[in-house]
Amino acid sequence: MLNFNPKLAGLMTALSDPTRLAIVERLSLTPLSVSEIAAPFDMSLAAIVQHIQVLEKAGAVRTFKRGRTRRCIIDTDGMAILKSWLTDRERFWQGQFDNLEAMLDAQAHNNKEETDT
Amino acid sequence: MLNFNPKLAGLMTALSDPTRLAIVERLSLTPLSVSEIAAPFDMSLAAIVQHIQVLEKAGAVRTFKRGRTRRCIIDTDGMAILKSWLTDRERFWQGQFDNLEAMLDAQAHNNKEETDT
DNA sequence: GGAATAGTCAAGTCATGACTTAACTATCTT
DNA sequence: AAGATAGTTAAGTCATGACTTGACTATTCC
């Protein structure tokens, strides 16, 4: 449907975890090594490594290993998938709320109170 | 950090499930009732109801009950949170890859092969 | 009023996913 | 070469979340 990208669900899943979202948040400001990413979290380094692997597989983050340290950075290409998905669908959303109101009114012979419960 | 919205994690979580993403996908084209949403899925109606509740609590979808049917529609305000989060961070991502290259080269005395494994 | 329709709520099951610890590899430093 | 640093992998635990079924409520149709 439209440009629905199979990577999208994986991206969303990767970003759904609060820790991973916070990682992306910090990486948005500057690239960081694995230990630097781990520092503020009350969590084992191994756990952070796992999170980074999830982010990388999903296409949210890219990493480069130099020597014994791994540098992490936002995967702008991957994130662009999310952005364009949103942008494409926005076009359809516009004016849809008005249409809904019209539709509701159309099929409502009797003008009851609208319940949103 | 920046305009980090507490609703963001919830939104991401709501959209991380493939079924819910598909629901949002269909609602992007047109508003639907609960049963209409459920129709194409090989899943109980109760399960779909639960998904819709998750989407609504997260701010991805709005619903209106008229009589015994509930109409569902994309929550454009809620989705705008996601959009603006992405847009805001994009500014920082730009050029960050080039900076990374520079940084890597700067701290690389010896020009080894770059391993991205 | 009675039957069909549209949806909701409550339990309970099961798989997945977010951690842990421990053992290990690779790379610097001195 | 030896110890410290940076990260990785594997195996196991535990909580959460995605379903199910079954009983129930509210509305519309005949």
Side-chain angles (χ1 to χ4, degrees):
Chain A
M1 197 187 295
L2 277 175
N3 71 342
F4 185 80
N5 196 310
K7 289 181 181 173
L8 192 65
L11 252 180
M12 291 292 194
T13 307
L15 297 176
S16 69
D17 181 84
T19 303
R20 286 196 293 266
L21 198 51
I23 291 175
V24 167
E25 197 71 355
R26 298 198 37 233
L27 285 180
S28 289
L29 300 179
T30 181
L32 293 170
S33 72
V34 172
S35 326
E36 284 167 345
I37 291 175
F41 293 104
D42 187 19
M43 195 181 297
S44 74
L45 184 64
I48 297 295
V49 168
Q50 287 165 12
H51 279 308
I52 293 172
Q53 287 167 348
V54 170
L55 286 168
E56 186 167 23
K57 268 165 202 146
V61 157
R62 294 186 63 188
T63 75
F64 310 85
K65 193 157 188 178
R66 273 288 168 99
R68 59 183 166 170
T69 86
R70 179 179 296 277
R71 284 268 142 194
C72 306
I73 189 176
I74 297 291
D75 184 339
T76 50
D77 290 348
M79 284 300 191
I81 292 173
L82 216 175
K83 178 72 180 299
S84 65
W85 179 78
L86 264 182
T87 309
D88 289 353
R89 267 129 204 90
E90 255 178 353
R91 281 190 300 125
F92 292 93
W93 302 341
Q94 305 310 334
Q96 204 172 87
F97 184 73
D98 298 335
N99 293 343
L100 179 80
E101 293 288 350
M103 180 175 21
L104 285 174
D105 288 343
Q107 71 183 124
H109 331 279
N110 48 352
N111 271 359
K112 283 193 198 167
E113 273 293 292
E114 192 175 88
T115 64
D116 50 1
T117 309
Chain B
M1 198 187 296
L2 276 174
N3 71 343
F4 185 80
N5 195 310
K7 290 181 181 174
L8 192 63
L11 252 180
M12 291 292 193
T13 307
L15 297 176
S16 69
D17 180 85
T19 302
R20 285 196 294 265
L21 198 51
I23 291 175
V24 168
E25 196 71 356
R26 297 201 33 235
L27 285 180
S28 289
L29 300 179
T30 181
L32 294 170
S33 73
V34 172
S35 326
E36 284 167 346
I37 290 175
F41 293 104
D42 187 20
M43 195 181 297
S44 73
L45 184 64
I48 297 295
V49 168
Q50 286 166 12
H51 279 308
I52 293 172
Q53 286 168 349
V54 171
L55 286 169
E56 187 166 24
K57 268 164 203 148
V61 156
R62 294 186 64 188
T63 75
F64 309 85
K65 193 157 187 177
R66 273 286 169 100
R68 58 182 168 174
T69 84
R70 180 179 294 278
R71 285 269 141 193
C72 307
I73 187 175
I74 296 292
D75 185 338
T76 50
D77 290 349
M79 284 300 193
I81 292 172
L82 215 174
K83 179 71 182 301
S84 65
W85 179 78
L86 265 182
T87 308
D88 289 354
R89 266 125 204 96
E90 255 178 350
R91 282 190 300 125
F92 291 93
W93 302 341
Q94 306 309 334
Q96 202 170 90
F97 184 73
D98 297 336
N99 292 342
L100 179 79
E101 292 289 351
M103 179 174 25
L104 285 173
D105 289 344
Q107 72 184 123
H109 332 276
N110 48 352
N111 272 358
K112 283 194 198 164
E113 274 293 293
E114 190 175 271
T115 64
D116 49 3
T117 308

